[in-house]
Amino acid sequence: MTDCAAMPERPILSIGLFADPHYARKVYGERYCQDSLDKLRVCLETFNARNLPMAIDLGDSIDKVADKDAELAFLREILEVYAAFHGERHIVLGNHDLEALTKNEFLSEYGNKALQRPYYSFDKCGIHFVILDGNCNQDESDFGPNNNIWDQAWLSQKQINWLKTDLKTAHEKRTIVFCHENIDNRLWLEKPDPHLLKNAADVRAVLEQAGNVNAVIQAHCHDGTFMVINGIPYIGLKAMVVGPGLENNAYAIASFYKNGSLTIEGFGRQNSLGVPVA
Ligand SMILES: [Fe+2]
Ligand SMILES: [Fe+2]
């Protein structure tokens, strides 16, 4: 299989997705952090067996541990496992990635220097992909050690300005947006769900005005979510970390079709989903 399928009945592109592995040597609540390396190995075996050209880690790759050295060791372990993927690798930053490490410390461990940025965009098979970083405080400072409240996450104004320009430049291209924190508008106990960016409404306005956003894929809310707002589907993936053993794995393959539709093929606890053209 080539990177970009040419047969009309086949997807233009299929990519591997996984979210919230929270790797560390611990278990707490329903989070079996220590099982995530084996879960990820199986996930990547599936992606490699399908010859997928690209995979995206939706964030919270590591969980919080006592000190920076231990955190770095866990990060290096999971990155080494991720390196077994044969295709192009991307990582979205999550709040748990930044509890003991700064963004620079996290990103500098990632082998591909071109991708050592908290937010960026690129094209593949004619599709525009945007990786967002929802890990900022209201005062525009970055999440980092002792400066990181999981339910007080913002997309910085600087990044919103960049996003507007990026989407405008790519206006003729179908665009898929990735963010760890959530950009939809669901409620929890009659208030905005705490997994949402505090300025999710501002970000949605930018996405809607651009007119070329085909889907938003997010993580952070471990149960997974799905809703469509003003024609844009917001797909939340289930967390890999939840539940013990390989029988509780969760990951997905997203396929993009020429008519604008997409599918999520779920594995383990991750449900499958067909998203027709809006
Ligand atoms: Fe998480
Ligand atoms: Fe998270």
Side-chain angles (χ1 to χ4, degrees):
M1 178 177 162
T2 59
D3 274 11
C4 311
M7 299 281 286
E9 69 272 19
R10 288 172 56 197
I12 300 166
L13 173 67
S14 293
I15 63 172
L17 303 173
F18 63 94
D20 293 272
H22 284 250
Y23 177 57
R25 298 257 168 74
K26 63 178 179 179
V27 174
Y28 64 104
E30 61 181 8
R31 298 177 181 183
Y32 288 73
C33 307
Q34 61 198 25
D35 292 1
S36 282
L37 280 196
D38 282 341
K39 289 177 177 176
L40 182 58
R41 284 190 188 98
V42 169
C43 158
L44 298 172
E45 281 168 15
T46 307
F47 295 170
N48 283 335
R50 297 279 192 98
N51 289 321
L52 301 184
M54 185 168 92
I56 299 181
D57 168 357
L58 268 290
D60 283 356
S61 301
I62 48 177
D63 205 282
K64 185 180 184 180
V65 289
D67 66 85
K68 185 174 282 191
D69 288 343
E71 191 80 308
L72 274 172
F74 288 134
L75 176 58
R76 286 168 187 157
E77 266 190 276
I78 193 166
L79 288 177
E80 197 178 312
V81 171
Y82 194 16
F85 177 59
H86 296 160
E88 186 179 317
R89 282 170 281 139
H90 296 269
I91 297 179
V92 182
L93 282 174
N95 53 304
H96 279 277
D97 299 322
L98 304 166
E99 290 191 294
L101 304 175
T102 65
K103 287 181 186 177
N104 278 343
E105 286 166 340
F106 184 98
L107 293 168
S108 63
E109 291 297 321
Y110 187 47
N112 187 340
K113 284 216 179 327
L115 302 178
Q116 288 178 2
R117 291 170 290 171
Y119 58 90
Y120 59 94
S121 66
F122 59 96
D123 292 349
K124 195 157 187 75
C125 300
I127 300 174
H128 189 60
F129 291 91
V130 177
I131 305 283
L132 293 179
D133 168 24
N135 303 286
C136 298
N137 295 296
Q138 188 173 12
D139 65 3
E140 304 268 308
S141 64
D142 283 329
F143 272 13
N146 305 314
N147 192 19
N148 176 346
I149 303 173
W150 76 273
D151 59 354
Q152 300 291 317
W154 297 69
L155 211 73
S156 66
Q157 190 56 50
K158 183 180 168 196
Q159 190 176 171
I160 288 177
N161 295 341
W162 170 85
L163 180 62
K164 271 185 204 164
T165 306
D166 182 80
L167 292 175
K168 200 172 176 182
T169 308
H171 71 282
E172 286 181 346
K173 292 175 193 155
R174 172 187 191 173
T175 296
I176 311 293
V177 174
F178 296 85
C179 187
H180 179 75
E181 288 81 3
N182 299 173
I183 307 177
D184 59 77
N185 64 358
R186 67 192 189 276
L187 299 178
W188 186 71
L189 300 178
E190 297 178 14
K191 291 182 178 166
D193 187 286
H195 296 87
L196 298 175
L197 288 172
K198 301 302 279 184
N199 56 347
D202 295 341
V203 182
R204 284 198 310 276
V206 172
L207 302 180
E208 289 168 16
Q209 280 159 19
N212 58 341
V213 176
N214 186 229
V216 174
I217 300 181
Q218 48 196 22
H220 195 43
C221 180
H222 289 186
D223 292 339
T225 57
F226 177 75
M227 63 193 304
V228 179
I229 307 167
N230 294 330
I232 299 178
Y234 293 78
I235 302 162
L237 298 177
K238 287 187 193 290
M240 183 176 267
V241 71
V242 173
L246 294 175
E247 64 271 31
N248 283 298
N249 211 344
Y251 56 96
I253 295 176
S255 295
F256 306 101
Y257 294 83
K258 199 174 178 181
N259 68 355
S261 63
L262 67 100
T263 57
I264 299 287
E265 180 183 0
F267 295 82
R269 291 179 299 97
Q270 176 63 51
N271 53 303
S272 295
L273 198 62
V275 184
V277 187

